[in-house]
Amino acid sequence: DVKVTQSSRYLVKRTGEKVFLECVQDMDHENMFWYRQDPGLGLRLIYFSYDVKMKEKGDIPEGYSVSREKKERFSLILESASTNQTSMYLCASSSPEGRHQPQHFGDGTRLSIL
Amino acid sequence: AQKVTQAQTEISVVEKEDVTLDCVYETRDTTYYLFWYKQPPSGELVFLIRRNSFDEQNEISGRYSWNFQKSTSSFNFTITASQVVDSAVYFCALSEAGGYQKVTFGIGTKLQVIP
């Protein structure tokens, strides 16, 4: 069965800290995505990656960066956490471009910035 | 730019009632894909269905059915004889044919099925 694993279910950090959210998939998918989910706003794409070391900005990349050093792992980095980055973060993966396969999601990380 | 509208933010129904979740989309592409996902309280989004723009046949899977109408740019989802386990947030999503499978999600409809 396919599996996307996010490193933490709940995380509490302080303003100004550098925060790492990790995501690992075991499906050998090329595409990986980071979203944040906020009430009334749905899912908004932060960054996505279609291959190792490749990344593309999504709709709301400001304040975030990503790293994809290995195919199975996609990390989201909050360079200097701020309270407005308190949110639910969802990682997803999918098989390659052109087939528009459904995305497989992790359980999410609920991040609180104090 | 593509857009997905789910006008119903929250719906409550009594168990065994039928319920329809609306989804209206906007796109300039002639080739695109539509999806529905379910997010139960546990948090993980679960894929339910994918439909491409050339396939307007309605689909039924058990108590779930989907009505795709290009003329009204709608892709509605009906649950027949709802059950408490159907309580979740449901997302409609749109992916255009080009690009790297960037998907636009609606804001979601929270369905509560009351026993």
Side-chain angles (χ1 to χ4, degrees):
Chain A
D1 200 11
V2 299
K3 191 68 178 172
V4 177
T5 303
Q6 294 184 229
S7 54
S8 304
R9 198 70 199 271
Y10 300 94
L11 205 54
V12 180
K13 296 291 182 181
R14 297 211 171 271
T15 303
E17 280 192 65
K18 191 169 185 176
V19 181
F20 293 85
L21 302 183
E22 306 287 346
C23 175
V24 176
Q25 50 96 2
D26 65 359
M27 295 162 283
D28 202 35
H29 283 165
E30 277 77 3
N31 299 333
M32 295 189 74
F33 307 83
W34 274 107
Y35 295 90
R36 64 177 282 177
Q37 181 180 4
D38 301 289
L41 296 175
L43 274 69
R44 292 180 293 167
L45 181 65
I46 305 171
Y47 267 97
F48 65 101
S49 170
Y50 49 89
D51 203 350
V52 174
K53 296 191 185 295
M54 306 301 287
K55 60 184 179 183
E56 291 283 340
K57 293 181 180 179
D59 299 317
I60 51 165
E62 296 77 21
Y64 303 95
S65 63
V66 290
S67 173
R68 183 112 182 255
E69 296 296 319
K70 292 185 178 181
K71 190 176 185 180
E72 67 270 19
R73 186 180 296 271
F74 192 34
S75 303
L76 180 69
I77 305 155
L78 285 67
E79 297 292 343
S80 178
S82 63
T83 54
N84 63 13
Q85 292 177 310
T86 291
S87 185
M88 169 74 93
Y89 289 87
L90 294 167
C91 176
S93 71
S94 69
S95 36
E97 172 201 359
R99 287 185 272 162
H100 290 266
Q101 296 299 314
Q103 295 183 10
H104 299 271
F105 285 83
D107 289 341
T109 296
R110 191 165 291 281
L111 175 64
S112 295
I113 306 296
L114 304 179
Chain B
Q2 55 191 47
K3 184 179 177 182
V4 175
T5 301
Q6 295 181 257
Q8 307 148 305
T9 52
E10 291 194 38
I11 302 175
S12 289
V13 298
V14 176
E15 200 171 21
K16 296 184 183 176
E17 285 185 351
D18 299 347
V19 58
T20 295
L21 310 182
D22 298 333
C23 174
V24 174
Y25 62 91
E26 294 177 30
T27 178
R28 282 179 276 194
D29 277 12
T30 55
T31 302
Y32 51 88
Y33 296 79
L34 295 162
F35 302 81
W36 275 96
Y37 289 86
K38 174 183 179 180
Q39 185 181 39
S42 58
E44 177 185 350
L45 270 79
V46 176
F47 165 73
L48 295 178
I49 189 172
R50 178 185 65 163
R51 175 67 77 224
N52 75 55
S53 52
F54 297 107
D55 182 3
E56 286 194 72
Q57 284 192 7
N58 293 329
E59 180 151 342
I60 298 174
S61 176
R63 296 183 297 107
Y64 293 173
S65 63
W66 291 268
N67 183 311
F68 176 29
Q69 291 196 341
K70 287 178 76 170
S71 60
T72 56
S73 297
S74 65
F75 186 42
N76 296 337
F77 173 29
T78 297
I79 302 174
T80 303
S82 59
Q83 300 177 2
V84 172
V85 293
D86 296 327
S87 296
V89 180
Y90 291 86
F91 290 94
C92 181
L94 167 67
S95 174
E96 291 174 342
Y100 293 99
Q101 293 199 55
K102 181 171 176 256
V103 178
T104 299
F105 286 83
I107 65 170
T109 297
K110 183 176 182 180
L111 174 65
Q112 183 179 16
V113 180
I114 304 165

